[in-house]
Amino acid sequence: MSPRVTFATAARVLTQLRRDPRTVALLLAVPCVLMVLLKEVFADEQQVFQKIGGPLLGLFPFISMFLVTSITMLRERVSGTLERLMTLPLHKIDILLGYAIAFALFAAVQVTLVSVVAFGLLDLTVAGPKWAVVLLAIGNALLGMSLGLFVSAFATTEFQAVQFMPALVFPQLLLCGLFVARSSMAEWLQVISAVLPLTYAYDALAKVAAGGPYGARFAADVAVTVGATLLLLVLAAGTLRRRTP
């Protein structure tokens, strides 16, 4: 592994993102707009907004990071950029970590911005510490990023990349416990929910928003979220194929 190669890759990706205002708008503005819409939808039911606002603050970045990362990585594959990089004496993990660092920085800015909007302008309150919500939201954004990096290998067009949203993201949103408590679901749905990483990411956010309890289960939720992120990055590295010059 070479830190120089890793950070050079990250700098290149950040430069490309900076030159794409639509992508920047999607990453930074859309989660904020969604939080504002959520506030207005429950304008007459503020207790509902206060209950689900905290967890959704972390779920919106997951969705947007998945979408942007999968499409951006697909462009790199289709354009031949990755293929040219793989002809060089570089380690695959250096390249992938470069992409991960670049998107992680964007994720941190994105979550910070939506948190300022939610806690500052929309008067969202949580029983637990706000900084914990922010950190978990960044973790969720990184989970979406790693999932996007991985699935980009299975798409050949941007339309196909977008099709992974209803296939991989929406089921996780439906089964994570946001809309219906997992204990109220059919057993076979609970089994499926138990193997989906967003379930644990949502559980951790919900616990912080409710002010606890912070026990072994909370630690397990965080550990599974982090472990799933790292596993997806490793799997994404496995999709990169070495080319000979």
Side-chain angles (χ1 to χ4, degrees), residues 8-18 72 76 98-99 102-103 106:
T9 302
R12 180 182 64 81
V13 175
L14 287 172
T15 299
Q16 289 179 332
L17 289 174
R18 182 174 56 83
T72 302
E76 298 279 83
Y99 283 93
F103 285 113
F106 253 93

Side-chain angles (χ1 to χ4, degrees), residues 16-233:
Q16 289 179 332
L17 289 174
R18 182 174 56 83
R19 294 173 179 172
D20 187 351
R22 288 176 297 181
T23 298
V24 173
L26 178 61
L27 281 172
L28 301 183
V30 170
C32 297
V33 172
L34 291 176
M35 287 301 298
V36 173
L37 289 176
L38 185 69
K39 169 79 170 183
E40 292 302 314
V41 167
F42 296 106
D44 296 328
E45 300 178 79
Q46 283 301 301
Q47 70 278 8
V48 177
F49 173 72
Q50 298 297 339
K51 180 179 179 180
I52 67 175
L56 282 177
L57 188 151
L59 296 184
F60 287 153
F62 169 86
I63 298 170
S64 60
M65 286 301 297
F66 169 83
L67 183 60
V68 170
T69 305
S70 58
I71 292 177
T72 302
M73 194 65 170
L74 175 64
R75 289 176 182 173
E76 298 279 83
R77 295 176 188 271
V78 174
S79 66
T81 300
L82 279 178
E83 183 173 337
R84 290 191 294 272
L85 287 174
M86 294 306 293
T87 65
L88 303 175
L90 307 175
H91 199 287
K92 292 189 293 184
I93 198 65
D94 288 326
I95 298 174
L96 201 64
L97 279 179
Y99 283 93
I101 290 173
F103 285 113
L105 291 174
F106 253 93
V109 174
Q110 177 194 60
V111 171
T112 300
L113 184 59
V114 71
S115 298
V116 169
V117 171
F119 294 126
L121 300 180
L122 303 181
D123 296 323
L124 176 66
T125 59
V126 292
K130 294 179 180 178
W131 61 264
V133 174
V134 173
L135 288 181
L136 290 174
I138 292 175
N140 282 3
L142 297 181
L143 178 62
M145 172 208 70
S146 60
L147 183 60
L149 290 175
F150 174 62
V151 303
S152 67
F154 305 99
T156 57
T157 65
E158 292 184 12
F159 178 69
Q160 289 182 357
V162 173
Q163 286 178 316
F164 281 111
M165 284 283 290
L168 296 177
V169 175
F170 292 167
Q172 295 196 66
L173 289 174
L174 291 174
L175 298 178
C176 70
L178 173 64
F179 300 102
V180 178
R182 293 175 59 212
S183 58
S184 301
M185 298 178 185
E187 284 192 24
W188 65 276
L189 289 178
Q190 294 183 40
V191 171
I192 296 175
S193 176
V195 299
L196 299 177
L198 195 61
T199 297
Y200 302 91
Y202 169 78
D203 280 350
L205 274 167
K207 285 184 175 65
V208 173
Y214 306 111
R217 179 60 185 273
F218 176 77
D221 289 335
V222 175
V224 170
T225 303
V226 173
T229 301
L230 296 177
L231 176 60
L232 286 167
L233 286 176

